[in-house]
Amino acid sequence: MSKDSKILNPFFKKEYPVISHGKRIYMYDEDGKEYIDGTSGAVLCSLGHGLEEMGDVLKAQTEKISFVYRWDCVTDVLEQACNKICEASENHFSKVFYVSGGSEATEIAVKLARKYHLNKGNHGKYKVISRWQSYHGSTMGVLSLTGFTGRRAGYEPYLHEFGHIPPAYCYRCWYNKEPKNCNIECAQALENEILSQGPDSVSAFIMEPISGMSICAARPRDDYYEKIKEICKKYDVLLIFDEVMTGIGRTGKYFAYQYFNVKPDIIALGKALCGGYFPIGAVACTEALYETIYNNTAEFPPGYSWAGNPLGCAVVVKTFEYIEEHHLITKSAENGAYLKQRLKSLHKHPTVGDIRGLGMMVGIEFVKNKSTKEAFGPEVGYSLQINQEALKRGMFIELSSGCDKGVRGDMIMAAPAFIITKEEIDKMIDILDETITAVEERNGFLSEAIG
Ligand code: PLP
């Protein structure tokens, strides 16, 4: 990238395509080159690009009112946007707080949990336990909870440590067990951590129900969350599901928790909440939690200037309407099943170690040796090579690394917009197949083995 550019990019020496417009799952650069948006940006643009009705919604709302301050007044569109989340949860959640993104949502979730305990008279409960190899945002508060070591690196002096437990990561189980014969030790670890921290000091446990970029779409054994919920209940620890990535249809249901036999006390949302058309996030909680605060101080003042922004709320309402009108939750589930089934064909490659996920988020983990699961070292930059080769072939695909205890290991995440067709999924698979072949050949893997 030219040093003359005024953009402070993530990687100063990398060349970034200049995107001029987009339509559905495609983005186009200034020269008209077409790219498939294989991960919906940051697992975000769930409805695809270029929806004109979103522009109409923003224009109409701007003409009515574009900003009001949460401390002074409310709007009808905010009420509607809150209702949409509650309805999608079949009224499990009864109150919603809109913010401007995922990190703000997880921050507010933590503060809401703290307020609940303060209102209950449990003044000592403040710690939030989380998992290693997790991601909850980049502001310092939730970066403390994040267990994605690569994203914490360098900022540790600003972070607080409240306790991290091992991830639910069956492919590289920290207990060297297989799901079929384990005792979900990774869930039992929560009780050990609560006891070690002191139950009177623990406010909440936060986790991504299906892991995001830190261990690309890893999912626990089906009974993991029941065990987690049981432990939380025993010690009056609130259960926060960080569904910033998984929420609003990404996994084939409105919320990923709906796959498991548990319901969280608090949920954090972002990304797909706006379909990709406005920076917005939200936190929702149960009536029981709200009642506890209502019957005591009856206040929750923290927030941000932009909280409950009417423009964002109008986009949220339209996003839910669009999802319902086009049956996109069902489509996400069906397309997700097809995507995963087709991706499984890539197991023929000697470096494809694991393919996992739920709905429209499927992760691929690459290994140097399939039988030992030996990971590539960071000096190889294997997932970066995949990302770059895919880009040459016209597809953006997000990469990640550090799945092997934060130091080694390479992954990519396939997570296109819900509106993708089966033919377009086939196209993605063809590009990935060619991409992996090219990278394997460059790294000395026998092409005969590739087949
Ligand atoms: N939580 C999860 C699970 C995420 O995946 C992310 C972002 O990737 C965040 C929180 C932070 O969201 P944002 O980047 O919108 O602040």
Side-chain angles (χ1 to χ4, degrees), residues 101-103 135-137 208 242 244-245 271:
S103 301
Y135 186 61
H136 301 295
E208 302 154 273
D242 178 352
V244 168
M245 187 176 283
K271 298 191 188 262

Side-chain angles (χ1 to χ4, degrees), residues 85 96-102 105-106 244 267-270 273 280-284:
I85 291 181
V96 182
F97 185 147
Y98 274 95
V99 294
S100 300
T106 47
V244 168
I267 193 167
L269 300 165
L273 194 50
I280 199 157
V283 177

Side-chain angles (χ1 to χ4, degrees), residues 42-44 100-106 134-139 142 146 151 207-213 242-246 268-271 280-281:
V43 196
L44 197 155
S100 300
S103 301
E104 286 191 3
T106 47
S134 61
Y135 186 61
H136 301 295
S138 66
T139 50
V142 288
T146 287
R151 294 196 185 173
M207 102 301 295
E208 302 154 273
I210 305 296
S211 292
M213 290 313 290
D242 178 352
E243 296 228 27
V244 168
M245 187 176 283
T246 52
L269 300 165
K271 298 191 188 262
I280 199 157

Side-chain angles (χ1 to χ4, degrees), residues 51-111:
L51 276 187
E52 282 167 23
E53 41 271 73
M54 286 301 184
D56 299 341
V57 160
L58 280 165
K59 183 166 183 293
Q61 186 59 48
T62 307
E63 284 165 1
K64 284 189 202 159
I65 183 86
S66 60
F67 181 79
V68 298
Y69 186 36
R70 153 168 203 268
W71 276 34
D72 299 330
C73 51
V74 295
T75 54
D76 183 46
V77 73
L78 172 60
E79 188 74 50
Q80 288 174 37
C82 292
N83 259 318
K84 289 291 182 195
I85 291 181
C86 297
E87 281 167 13
S89 76
E90 291 160 339
N91 295 314
H92 170 64
F93 300 116
S94 77
K95 293 288 180 277
V96 182
F97 185 147
Y98 274 95
V99 294
S100 300
S103 301
E104 286 191 3
T106 47
E107 291 274 350
I108 288 292
V110 167
K111 283 189 176 158

